[in-house]
């Protein structure tokens, strides 16, 4: 009971501070349930970037990870962007540096660089396009077929995009999200067998995504019940589907919204240990402190922001 009272009191204080500061709270689908519940906008990286681009709030509190707050700061140079915990990083974003990208570009002069949004501002500044899992296929399809493509940093999303688009001149950086990489094909097959009527929803960052596409082609997994989707796409599909059970292959934080939006339907994690420790860094107390004490202001140097903004705006415009 005391924990419930504490959560309620914190949420009420956050709402009061938010009104006083004309603030917007953005939260990713992987955040703690109580943080999701106080967000003005809850969504995947693309939805949150679009919300950041169009807001008239004075302050943006980003309940996500560092690269997301950087993206909001790039889109809103005149606003205060707060990240409640500076330790909310991303193993995938850390898998490539700007120096490494510059060296890769030197090996492929003239190639078009497509950077997943899970990258630092410096990497985005070296890129031609950004993308998210919701529009990566469409971004690659928007690039002339004769253009060589460098896709980074997620090898699983890159392999998925290459398979869907059929692009032969696409090079893929060998990075990964350690949480999604840990969701393995055998785990997925086992859970699907235990729930034979369930639909399978797979995030394309998962270590099992490309394998699952092959297993679908081979008839091991049911083609009509297997969907590879972004987190936003998963939520939308779960609402629209007539299925009553879903096996979900992504970070388990999304299950809170799935259950909240779909009473009566059942959602089973493909791997219940798929928990991102970085996404769970942000708590209600830290959100309150961010609003009360201006913790922690995220800024991007003007020259880097100017170069990165073009790639981000292309991402927002496509799909």
């Amino acid at each position: 009971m005391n924990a419930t009272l504490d959560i309620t009191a914190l949420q009420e204080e956050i709402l009061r501070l938010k009104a006083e500061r004309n603030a917007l709270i953005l939260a990713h689908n992987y955040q703690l349930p109580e943080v999701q519940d106080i967000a003005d906008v809850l969504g995947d990286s693309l939805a949150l970037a679009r919300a950041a681009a169009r807001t008239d709030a004075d302050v943006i509190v980003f309940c996500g990870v560092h690269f997301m707050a950087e993206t909001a700061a790039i889109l809103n140079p005149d606003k205060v962007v707060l990240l409640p915990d500076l330790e909310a990083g991303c193993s995938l974003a850390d898998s490539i540096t700007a120096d490494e990208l510059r060296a890769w570009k030197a090996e492929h002069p003239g190639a078009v660089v497509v950077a997943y949004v899970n990258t630092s501002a410096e990497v985005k500044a070296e890129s031609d396009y950004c993308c998210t899992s919701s529009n990566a296929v469409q971004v690659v399809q928007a690039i002339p077929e004769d253009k060589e493509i460098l896709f980074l940093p997620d090898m699983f999303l890159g392999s998925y995009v290459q398979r869907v688009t059929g692009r032969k001149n696409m090079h893929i950086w060998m990075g990964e999200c350690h949480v999604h990489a840990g969701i393995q094909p055998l785990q997925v097959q086992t859970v699907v067998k235990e729930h034979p009527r369930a639909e399978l929803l797979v995030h394309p960052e998962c270590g099992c995504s490309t394998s699952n596409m092959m297993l679908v082609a081979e008839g091991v997994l049911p083609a009509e019940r297997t969907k590879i989707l972004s987190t936003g796409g998963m939520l939308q599909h779960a609402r629209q589907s007539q299925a009553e059970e879903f096996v979900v292959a992504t970070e388990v934080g999304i299950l809170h919204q799935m259950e909240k939006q779909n009473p009566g339907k059942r959602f089973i994690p493909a791997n219940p240990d798929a928990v991102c420790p970085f996404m769970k860094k942000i708590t209600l107390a830290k959100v309150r402190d961010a609003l009360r004490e201006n913790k922690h202001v995220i800024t991007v140097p003007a020259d880097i922001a100017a170069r990165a903004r073009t790639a981000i705006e292309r991402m927002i415009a496509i799909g």
Side-chain angles (χ1 to χ4, degrees), residues 187-196 200 221-222 225 247:
Q187 283 178 317
V188 173
Q189 290 176 60
T190 300
V191 180
V192 167
K193 285 179 183 176
E194 292 170 353
H195 302 274
L200 171 61
L221 290 175
R225 290 189 284 114
V247 173

Side-chain angles (χ1 to χ4, degrees), residues 29-260:
N29 292 320
Y30 298 157
Q31 288 289 296
L32 291 169
E34 59 268 27
V35 173
Q36 293 185 34
D37 291 344
I38 49 93
D40 296 300
V41 180
L42 179 71
D44 58 17
S45 297
L46 183 59
L48 297 179
R50 285 175 171 157
R54 64 175 178 259
T55 186
D56 58 1
D58 297 320
V59 177
I60 297 172
V61 182
F62 218 116
C63 301
V65 292
H66 193 272
F67 76 80
M68 297 178 183
E70 277 190 334
T71 301
I74 290 166
L75 293 169
N76 295 279
D78 300 325
K79 299 183 188 301
V80 175
V81 177
L82 303 175
L83 180 65
D85 191 322
L86 287 177
E87 293 186 0
C90 175
S91 61
L92 179 55
D94 289 343
S95 68
I96 187 168
T97 66
D99 285 342
E100 288 171 329
L101 175 52
R102 281 188 283 268
W104 200 27
K105 287 166 66 174
E107 295 172 5
H108 301 275
V112 177
V113 178
V114 178
Y116 193 28
V117 73
N118 298 45
T119 45
S120 68
E122 289 87 351
V123 167
K124 290 180 175 72
E126 294 292 333
S127 305
D128 299 296
Y129 291 82
C130 282
C131 70
T132 71
S133 54
S134 2
N135 71 350
V137 169
Q138 292 159 300
V139 167
V140 168
Q141 288 173 334
I143 297 167
E145 290 188 8
D146 62 336
K147 285 287 187 181
E148 195 174 14
I149 293 174
L150 303 182
F151 189 97
L152 61 100
D154 190 82
M155 60 182 173
F156 300 116
L157 178 61
S159 296
Y160 167 73
V161 171
Q162 187 172 43
R163 191 174 179 89
V164 171
T165 62
R167 293 294 285 252
K168 305 296 184 188
N169 55 352
M170 184 171 153
H171 307 280
I172 301 167
W173 189 261
M174 293 291 104
E176 65 179 27
C177 160
H178 73 284
V179 176
H180 282 107
I183 303 175
Q184 297 298 315
L186 187 58
Q187 283 178 317
V188 173
Q189 290 176 60
T190 300
V191 180
V192 167
K193 285 179 183 176
E194 292 170 353
H195 302 274
R197 296 188 178 183
E199 289 194 338
L200 171 61
L201 309 183
V202 182
H203 194 285
E205 272 185 49
C206 287
C208 63
S209 60
T210 304
S211 299
N212 283 343
M213 290 182 73
M214 294 185 220
L215 292 172
V216 167
E218 293 167 5
V220 177
L221 290 175
E224 71 282 1
R225 290 189 284 114
T226 301
K227 315 291 179 185
I228 298 181
L229 301 163
S230 66
T231 55
M234 287 182 180
L235 286 164
Q236 181 179 359
H237 180 80
R239 289 193 300 269
Q240 296 173 347
S241 174
Q242 297 301 308
E244 295 181 355
E245 279 193 331
F246 302 83
V247 173
V248 183
T250 190
E251 208 272 356
V252 297
I254 197 173
L255 298 179
H256 174 64
Q257 280 306 307
M258 288 182 154
E259 291 164 354
K260 190 174 175 181

